[in-house]
Amino acid sequence: MLRFLPYIILIIVLDQITKFLIVQNFDLYASYQIFPFLKIIYLQNEGAAFSFLHDAGGWQRYFLILVSVIAVCILPYLIKKNLSNRIISFALMFILAGAFGNLVDRVLFGYVIDFIYFHYQQYYWPAFNVADVAISFGVFLLFLDIYQDWREQKKH
């Protein structure tokens, strides 16, 4: 289990450093076009994924903190339980690091700092951050493991 700790710390530190740089160098809602399809923008997300519950009146902060704390407490146990499966243990490690990174924001500020903004013409993907990338990659790995299991079962 401890072998994952450097990766978890690296993801959390990278997440917090990038958010710090955004806050220090951008005004809220200010953006910088990187590519025709990618902007860096400073946004404050009071909700969950895709800004779900962002306008819920304030109670969502405590609810999302509670959910994050539960996840951060349970995930190390699940990682330890699944050490024999590298894909699942790495997936859970990424999810843990991302959940912790966003938990830090929620506790300190009451919102999550988002800044990566993909778009195509008038179509926009919701803004996200390094912690969100880690969580999404972890979920992708979980689906990959499920797919591999499904293919193995289909062979038999």
Side-chain angles (χ1 to χ4, degrees), residues 62-81:
Y62 303 103
F63 173 73
L64 295 171
I65 287 172
L66 177 64
V67 169
S68 297
V69 167
I70 291 169
V72 166
C73 290
I74 291 173
L75 284 166
Y77 166 77
L78 293 175
I79 292 169
K80 186 176 180 182
K81 184 178 176 193

Side-chain angles (χ1 to χ4, degrees), residues 75 90-100 131 134-139 142:
L75 284 166
F90 267 96
L92 296 172
M93 183 252 339
F94 277 103
I95 294 169
L96 172 61
F100 193 88
I135 293 168
S136 298
F137 185 66
V139 170
L142 289 176

Side-chain angles (χ1 to χ4, degrees), residues 7-8 11-12 15 19 45 47-50 64 67-68 71-72 75 87-88 90-106 112 114 128-144:
Y7 300 111
I8 292 168
I11 293 167
I12 294 167
D15 177 61
K19 291 172 180 175
N45 180 3
F50 306 112
L64 295 171
V67 169
S68 297
V72 166
L75 284 166
I87 293 176
I88 289 180
F90 267 96
L92 296 172
M93 183 252 339
F94 277 103
I95 294 169
L96 172 61
F100 193 88
N102 282 339
L103 175 61
V104 169
D105 284 16
R106 287 194 198 289
V112 171
D114 288 330
F128 57 98
N129 57 47
V130 172
D132 297 334
V133 171
I135 293 168
S136 298
F137 185 66
V139 170
F140 168 78
L141 289 176
L142 289 176
F143 280 119
L144 180 64

Side-chain angles (χ1 to χ4, degrees), residues 134-154:
I135 293 168
S136 298
F137 185 66
V139 170
F140 168 78
L141 289 176
L142 289 176
F143 280 119
L144 180 64
D145 184 71
I146 291 168
Y147 175 72
Q148 287 177 339
D149 286 349
W150 175 78
R151 285 191 59 196
E152 286 298 317
Q153 290 176 1
K154 193 175 173 183

Side-chain angles (χ1 to χ4, degrees), residues 13-132:
V13 168
L14 181 60
D15 177 61
Q16 292 300 306
I17 287 173
T18 55
K19 291 172 180 175
F20 175 80
L21 290 172
I22 293 301
V23 170
Q24 292 301 308
N25 293 293
F26 284 78
D27 291 328
L28 187 59
Y29 306 116
S31 68
Y32 180 77
Q33 190 83 33
I34 304 288
F35 297 110
F37 57 87
L38 173 65
K39 287 182 186 177
I40 301 298
I41 186 169
Y42 175 22
L43 298 174
Q44 297 173 350
N45 180 3
E46 294 180 4
F50 306 112
S51 294
F52 177 69
L53 297 176
H54 76 280
D55 58 353
W59 65 266
Q60 74 274 22
R61 174 185 184 184
Y62 303 103
F63 173 73
L64 295 171
I65 287 172
L66 177 64
V67 169
S68 297
V69 167
I70 291 169
V72 166
C73 290
I74 291 173
L75 284 166
Y77 166 77
L78 293 175
I79 292 169
K80 186 176 180 182
K81 184 178 176 193
N82 289 285
L83 284 175
S84 61
N85 184 324
R86 288 180 59 109
I87 293 176
I88 289 180
S89 55
F90 267 96
L92 296 172
M93 183 252 339
F94 277 103
I95 294 169
L96 172 61
F100 193 88
N102 282 339
L103 175 61
V104 169
D105 284 16
R106 287 194 198 289
V107 169
L108 293 179
F109 311 119
Y111 53 82
V112 171
I113 298 165
D114 288 330
F115 59 90
I116 304 168
Y117 204 41
F118 281 103
H119 57 90
Y120 175 72
Q121 296 175 357
Q122 75 273 17
Y123 303 104
Y124 286 84
W125 186 257
F128 57 98
N129 57 47
V130 172
D132 297 334

